[in-house]
Amino acid sequence: MSATRVFVARLAGCSVFDPAGDKVGRVRDVIVVYRASDSPTVVGLIVEIPGKRRVFLSIGRVTSIGSGQIITTGLINLRRFEQRGGEVRVIAELLGRKVTLRDGSGEATIEDVAISETGPGEWEVEDLFLRRPRTSASPFGRGKTTFARWERVTEKTTAGEPQSAEQLIATYSDLLPADLASTLLDLPEERRLEVAEELPDERLADALEEMPETEQVELITHLDDARAADVLDQMQPDDAADLIAQLPEAKGEALLQLMQPEEADDVRFLLNYAPETAGGLMTTEPIIVSADATVAEGLALIRRHELAPALGAMVCVTLPPYEPPTGRFLGVVHFQRMLRYPPHERLGTLLDPNLEPVSPESSAAEVSRILASYNLVSLPVVDESHRLVGVVTIDDVLDYLLPDDWRSTAGDAEPEPVPLTTGTIPTRGRRPSDGPRRAR
């Protein structure tokens, strides 16, 4: 049986199944439409299907909601979701809004929304879970919570007052950086900027690295300079350099002045190279060790959680100093080779004799040819003095080679609606078209 009352925040991330038990995707949001006199009605769900495509699922196709899963039947249209006028996303737009209680008891913030089933395939907003302003001076104090029916509150609209994104950010906590970036880009512009303001620096930096340049510039220029510099500090130097290169020269220099000196130096160094060269594509944070380092030490370095997989595929061996530009570059040791030797083996004896580094002036085409020819995921870059200055990773090359709009599939041919199952499943006495109408 379907649950008759569900809190929307708990639906985020729930699996969606067809009647045969095959997983269709995951819920990312709930779409409602306001009504003149009654509470908002639910028209459907935003579901993320394989391929990271977000599609609309009409609430009339949902036969069961409960136990952390949603059962659906009928057809699903795989056209990418586009929000229409009058539609409101509960998680992305409604949570965090301020309301005024009509009983005169003051204001509160919406932290969750309960929807209830009023009939077969028909759901509407029932209760709001609210948090009142805190009364304690303690920074850790929180206001009391209460429930209120929709008709007992009035939404508060104050020009220039930002909407809280705390609850929304909590629902995004399990998203990978690329998925977080995609989710932010799906939000209305004003809401996107509000969420960016409240995201932690590291989380926002991860998302920015996965966004197109235009949206990167839009977000970073919206932040005040001090916050923007903190976010740039958390980005990979090559990504930060690419972003700063898109800004007006005066703005970029101002942000570099506010960044941590070591991070700013790396970015300035990368800005010296043309974007279509190995120097413009490389990162200055590879794993660098001495020839006397052991296999055990090398494996410990590549186990670091924050290390990108491509950077962990090999360690670079150089003479001191061990920060780019290093002493003379000696070679690289692939992590698979390290796994074949005892922990005490010296890395200087395990160098790959066949891997030749490239110069910073090497073209992106040449770098990609070498990576493809020798099945590599990263390639060392050395200067004219044979000092290691960085490494180019496969993801940086792909970012350069792919079209500017590769993150968007808006231009893809839209597939036709397909059945979720080949069998005929009863739908509790209603036709597949019953429930709130929405052509997709």
Side-chain angles (χ1 to χ4, degrees), residues 83 88 143 153 190 198 224 239 286 291-292 318-319 355 402 415 420 424:
Q83 190 168 354
V88 178
V153 303
E190 183 178 351
E198 296 193 33
D224 64 74
D239 291 310
D292 291 331
T318 74
L319 297 178
L355 180 59
L402 289 170
L420 294 177
T424 302

Side-chain angles (χ1 to χ4, degrees), residues 86-106:
E87 295 178 339
V88 178
R89 307 184 199 190
V90 175
I91 295 176
E93 299 180 73
L94 199 53
L95 300 191
R97 284 189 183 178
K98 290 186 177 180
V99 295
T100 302
L101 282 83
R102 294 183 176 179
D103 61 5
S105 59

Side-chain angles (χ1 to χ4, degrees), residues 23 25 29 137 157 211 226 272 297 299 311 362 371 397:
K23 184 175 177 180
D29 216 327
T157 56
M211 289 184 181
N272 291 324
E297 292 170 331
L299 290 175
L311 289 176
S362 298
L371 290 172
V397 174

Side-chain angles (χ1 to χ4, degrees), residues 114-427:
I115 59 175
S116 61
E117 189 174 22
T118 58
E122 298 179 356
W123 292 72
E124 66 178 29
V125 173
E126 179 183 349
D127 287 334
L128 302 177
F129 178 67
L130 307 174
R131 186 174 296 277
R132 294 183 182 273
R134 69 182 185 188
T135 56
S136 169
S138 169
F140 304 104
R142 303 189 72 186
K144 295 182 179 180
T145 59
T146 186
F147 286 94
R149 303 281 297 184
W150 177 267
E151 61 270 16
R152 296 185 181 276
V153 303
T154 302
E155 289 190 77
K156 179 185 176 185
T157 56
T158 303
E161 183 178 358
Q163 179 182 345
S164 171
E166 181 181 351
Q167 295 300 117
L168 177 58
I169 290 172
T171 66
Y172 292 167
S173 61
D174 63 333
L175 295 181
L176 295 174
D179 298 333
L180 176 60
S182 177
T183 300
L184 289 177
L185 295 177
D186 280 342
L187 296 175
E189 181 180 355
E190 183 178 351
R191 187 60 168 150
R192 183 191 314 151
L193 298 177
E194 290 171 347
V195 174
E197 287 279 8
E198 296 193 33
L199 277 172
D201 292 346
E202 184 177 0
R203 193 81 167 125
L204 180 56
D206 289 341
L208 281 173
E209 291 175 353
E210 303 296 334
M211 289 184 181
E213 291 176 350
T214 302
E215 283 72 16
Q216 285 183 334
V217 171
E218 176 192 21
L219 279 178
I220 208 70
T221 53
H222 173 75
L223 305 175
D224 64 74
D225 285 357
R227 172 81 197 287
D230 291 340
V231 173
L232 289 167
D233 281 334
Q234 298 296 325
M235 296 177 68
Q236 291 291 326
D238 53 327
D239 291 310
D242 291 341
L243 175 49
I244 288 179
Q246 303 301 316
L247 300 174
E249 185 175 350
K251 177 74 170 180
E253 181 58 33
L255 293 179
L256 285 169
Q257 293 288 346
L258 293 171
M259 291 175 64
Q260 294 293 328
E262 290 184 0
E263 301 294 338
D265 289 345
D266 287 342
V267 173
R268 291 181 192 277
F269 178 69
L270 292 171
L271 288 172
N272 291 324
Y273 298 103
E276 68 276 3
T277 64
L281 296 173
M282 70 183 179
T283 179
T284 57
E285 296 182 346
I287 298 178
I288 305 172
V289 297
S290 70
D292 291 331
T294 64
V295 166
E297 292 170 331
L299 290 175
L301 290 173
I302 68 173
R303 286 194 194 103
R304 289 182 298 169
H305 174 74
E306 70 276 8
L307 190 69
L311 289 176
M314 68 181 187
V315 297
C316 300
V317 181
T318 74
L319 297 178
Y322 301 113
E323 293 288 337
T326 66
R328 184 172 180 79
F329 174 72
L330 301 178
V332 303
V333 183
H334 303 286
F335 84 94
Q336 285 182 312
R337 186 170 176 83
M338 287 190 282
L339 295 175
R340 301 188 189 111
Y341 286 84
H344 61 269
E345 188 75 27
R346 302 292 176 182
L347 294 179
T349 66
L350 305 180
L351 300 177
D352 182 351
N354 300 316
L355 180 59
E356 291 293 332
V358 295
S359 70
E361 291 75 27
S362 298
S363 67
E366 174 67 9
V367 172
S368 61
R369 184 191 66 79
I370 295 174
L371 290 172
S373 298
Y374 301 105
N375 299 319
L376 301 171
V377 294
S378 58
L379 190 63
V381 183
V382 300
D383 62 14
E384 65 278 359
S385 301
H386 211 69
R387 301 178 301 172
L388 181 71
V389 293
V391 298
V392 180
T393 57
I394 187 68
D395 57 306
D396 293 320
V397 174
L398 288 174
D399 278 346
Y400 176 79
L401 294 178
L402 289 170
D404 291 340
D405 62 347
W406 69 266
R407 291 177 175 86
S408 171
T409 56
D412 293 352
E414 296 291 359
E416 293 299 320
V418 297
L420 294 177
T421 177
T422 56
T424 302
I425 305 297
T427 58

